[in-house]
Amino acid sequence: MAVRMGFVIITSRCIDCDACMVACRAENEVPLGFTRNWVTNKGIAGLFPNVKQMFEPGNCMHCDSPPCVAVCPTGASHKREDGIVLVDDVKCIGCKYCIEACPYDARFPNPDTGKADKCTFCIQRLEQGLQPACVQTCIGKARHSGDLNNPASVVSQLLDIYPARQLLTQAGTGPNIYYIDVPVPEIPAGK
Amino acid sequence: MHGEFVWGILIVIYLFTAGLSAGAMVTSNGALLLGGERFDRIARWGALIAPFPIAIGTGMLLVDLGSPLNFYRLFMILQVKSPMSYGSWAILLFTVLSLVYFYLWLPEKLQIWRRPAQYVQWQRFLAKVMPVLAVIVAAYTGVLLNAAGRPLWQTPLLPELFLVSAFSTGVASVILAASLSHTWRARHHEIRVLTIADAVLVILELILFATMALSAQLGTLSQRLAFAQLLDGHYAWMFWFFIVILGLVVPLLMEISEIRGKIPVKWAGSLTIGSSFLVLFGGFFVRYAITYAGQWSGWVH
């Protein structure tokens, strides 16, 4: 089966330290005032004494049918064979149509380059066999990435065991970030 | 992630001017094909207006680009799934042909090159082709926002709304120019027919807004909350005061009283100018409110 790169994020393990955002900024030289990833405070849920506060990290969902790719007038926004959605800066004219079209607001206009900017899955790190900066740095092991179609990957292993949800499935984008909200005591071994 | 409006006033100006040009073009084409000699002054005014608003609008689009020097990339490819891609081609074709049409309508002493022998046939030929392009250019501005998939912009009636508003502002611009002009001031029957046409368009626009409001109420939570931005949210004052009252209802009442002719002659001129100005004013804020409110409202998670 074809490679389908994606993320599994365990919200029960996120403590909102924002290290993923710092690591991404350092790795990818993201300009101040913008960010390629985020941690959203989803508020407090439950009744005393069983209350919890949920933090929901996110970034580009590298969707199966990405609206940003469909609306791009020059073919700059594209989806690679392995599922990673990227912007080709040579072709991008900075029209910002993709930024409007993304229901997750995962993109921003980069003032330094004049191009649409977003999570690149840290392809420069993947090529060296490393994990994306946000995954590598995550202190609570809340962020995981890999090939969702490979049964041996950590992400597939996690999804085999725990129930997961996606964001805004009604938008028809087929997002490739899966969220696990239940406690995950141990991270399974995997690629 | 970004916290501000990504498409701002420059895009609003473009959406407005592209519609205005398309509307002025169709007004001229209709006057030539259906009205002939008796309507030649409004046919001329439509032709003289048409190329310029859209040229200003495309200028704004260029300035808005993050990499303006890269704009030629738009014309190296046709991406059938991207409205902006085929829209750019349509705008290019429309602007070039509207300049040709403009030239054919210039008075002979201003035509630098010799007037083509069959210029009347050329005019008539273009008058049959241009309405198709004009409809594409005007409706495309709605399709553009449609495809961006924001809850407010998703309504299938948006292209129709922008199309009707485009024709209405186009007609109004011709009325305005033709009643302010000294050389080719429109004759009474010309203004009367245009005023009737504009009143019909304004009524259509009111119906479209009402239908959009109703279908938003019946739609998803995201759509209902998005339309509430216009009805009683952040853009309510603009929607009700600038668009509905000043831009639609007041000019409609003025136009009806013009059509019925029960007003003193000395007021007729100011009434015509006033109502067409208000239609243009309202048309601008239709684009403004929808562009901004559409970005203000997002998806409900």
Side-chain angles (χ1 to χ4, degrees), chain A residues 74-85:
Chain A
T74 63
S77 278
H78 61 284
K79 189 169 173 67
R80 304 202 317 175
E81 289 275 297
D82 59 5
I84 297 175
V85 174

Side-chain angles (χ1 to χ4, degrees), chain A residues 35 38 70-75 90-97 99-101 103 105 107-108 113-115 168 170, chain B residues 1-2 6-7 64-67 70-71 73-74 77 79 81-85 144 147-148 150 153 295 299-300:
Chain A
T35 177
W38 57 85
V71 299
C72 178
T74 63
V90 176
K91 288 185 184 169
C92 178
I93 60 170
C95 71
K96 305 185 268 286
Y97 201 3
I99 299 171
E100 295 291 1
D105 279 340
R107 293 176 166 229
F108 62 89
T113 61
K115 315 287 180 183
L168 290 179
Q170 70 271 32
Chain B
M1 266 202 145
H2 54 89
V6 174
W7 279 352
D64 190 68
L65 290 183
S67 308
N70 230 5
F71 84 96
R73 290 265 171 192
L74 282 171
I77 196 169
Q79 295 280 80
K81 275 188 177 174
S82 169
M84 192 183 283
S85 181
L144 178 84
R150 302 228 153 215
W153 295 346
Q295 295 175 83
W299 286 83
V300 180

